Amino acid sequence: MALVTFLSDFGDQDFYVPAVKAKMLAINPQLNIIDLSHRIETYDLAHAAFILRSTFRDFPKGTVHLVAVNTTGSMTQGYIGVKLEEHIFIGPNNGIFSLLADKEPGIMVQFADIHVQESSFPAKDILAPIAAKVASGAAIHDFGGPLQNFRKLMPRIPKATKEQITGHVMRVDRYGNLITNISKELFDKLNPGKFSIEFGRESLDRLFSGYDQVEPGDCFAFFNSSGYLEIGINHGHGGNLLGLRFESVVNIHFAN
């Protein structure tokens, strides 16, 4: 199946998204193009990486993921293709692919000059044709050679001791729920059985299984389907009501 996901910071008010799709479909009209999101805040690599990291493993192995976020920014060092966990990613070498997993991709290709023309719209003129051809059966090696300089960004990592975990909010979703970088794996490894979760001026000493496990207006905390601690207020905007935002601190204290 020729499957391509498409993630960008283009928004939905201009011609950019349909132009990129048209370019891919002109190469292979049978492509199945899935929009992940085009409402990433402009140049926001952290948000884009969060969306991609949270979704790409749910697609079939072999899926091609076209990423067009900050494609012309000063931090972009050319255009690349990488293979990670049997998925193919096509996009700018601006560090976004370093945020998808704890390990480096198994294959990394720098697209050759013959495929990288001067363009003010590289998502359409450079990345879309390569993504369409790779989804149709070509190998990323066909478009370049080994990548020598894989640009990396450093994600914020929780600090953990036997007494506590200090993490941060990675994302505030449209409902106001706060998704942290504290993983269930880390929590389970350190949890002696008794704990308290502190966020803003609130604290909880138990985990729930979902949003509706508490009364409207009450706080909740649970590990979501991506395996990260999520906190919020049932039927309320947790970010606003708790005074928390991106990179706000969340602590878990353990009691032996």
Side-chain angles (χ1 to χ4, degrees), residues 18-245:
V20 173
K21 290 182 177 181
K23 189 73 170 184
M24 289 191 283
L25 292 170
I27 292 170
N28 182 355
Q30 303 304 314
L31 285 179
N32 186 7
I33 304 172
I34 306 296
D35 295 299
L36 293 186
S37 177
H38 300 296
R39 302 187 69 179
I40 303 297
E41 289 295 326
T42 308
Y43 315 128
D44 191 343
L45 297 181
H47 182 193
F50 175 78
I51 296 293
L52 194 56
R53 184 175 63 244
S54 300
T55 57
F56 84 84
R57 294 179 181 88
D58 294 322
F59 287 93
K61 292 181 178 180
T63 297
V64 174
H65 304 275
L66 172 59
V67 180
V69 177
N70 198 19
T71 53
T72 59
S74 59
M75 66 188 303
T76 293
Q77 299 175 350
Y79 303 97
I80 63 175
V82 302
K83 186 175 184 179
L84 174 69
E85 298 180 21
E86 302 301 318
H87 290 255
I88 304 295
F89 300 86
I90 307 291
N93 186 19
N94 58 16
I96 188 170
F97 297 140
S98 69
L99 300 175
L100 301 184
D102 295 333
K103 58 185 177 182
E104 286 194 2
I107 297 173
M108 297 183 285
V109 173
Q110 178 84 46
F111 295 143
D113 291 345
I114 190 173
H115 300 290
V116 182
Q117 57 183 294
E118 284 291 329
S119 172
S120 63
F121 195 178
K124 173 189 174 185
D125 298 327
I126 298 170
L127 301 176
I130 295 175
K133 292 172 184 176
V134 171
S136 302
I140 54 174
H141 293 102
D142 296 341
F143 301 95
L147 175 64
Q148 302 299 326
N149 181 23
F150 181 49
R151 188 175 179 90
K152 295 182 180 180
L153 299 176
M154 296 301 295
R156 189 181 282 276
I157 304 297
K159 296 180 180 179
T161 67
K162 291 182 179 180
E163 289 77 33
Q164 80 173 47
I165 300 173
T166 298
H168 295 82
V169 174
M170 295 192 298
R171 179 68 186 159
V172 182
D173 71 14
R174 69 184 301 268
Y175 298 99
N177 301 323
L178 304 142
I179 303 168
T180 77
N181 61 349
I182 300 174
S183 69
K184 186 176 188 301
E185 180 182 8
L186 178 62
F187 175 82
D188 288 345
K189 186 180 298 184
L190 297 175
N191 179 25
K194 295 183 65 177
F195 60 87
S196 64
I197 304 170
E198 297 182 357
F199 46 98
R201 298 179 180 179
E202 301 292 333
S203 67
L204 292 171
D205 60 5
R206 61 170 293 192
L207 290 166
F208 299 90
S209 59
Y211 307 99
D212 59 352
Q213 299 299 302
V214 300
E215 294 296 320
D218 287 346
C219 294
F220 62 78
F222 63 89
F223 285 99
N224 63 23
S225 61
S226 297
Y228 289 97
L229 182 69
E230 184 169 338
I231 57 181
I233 296 176
N234 188 19
H235 288 195
H237 193 290
N240 292 339
L241 295 173
L242 296 168
L244 300 177
R245 57 188 59 85

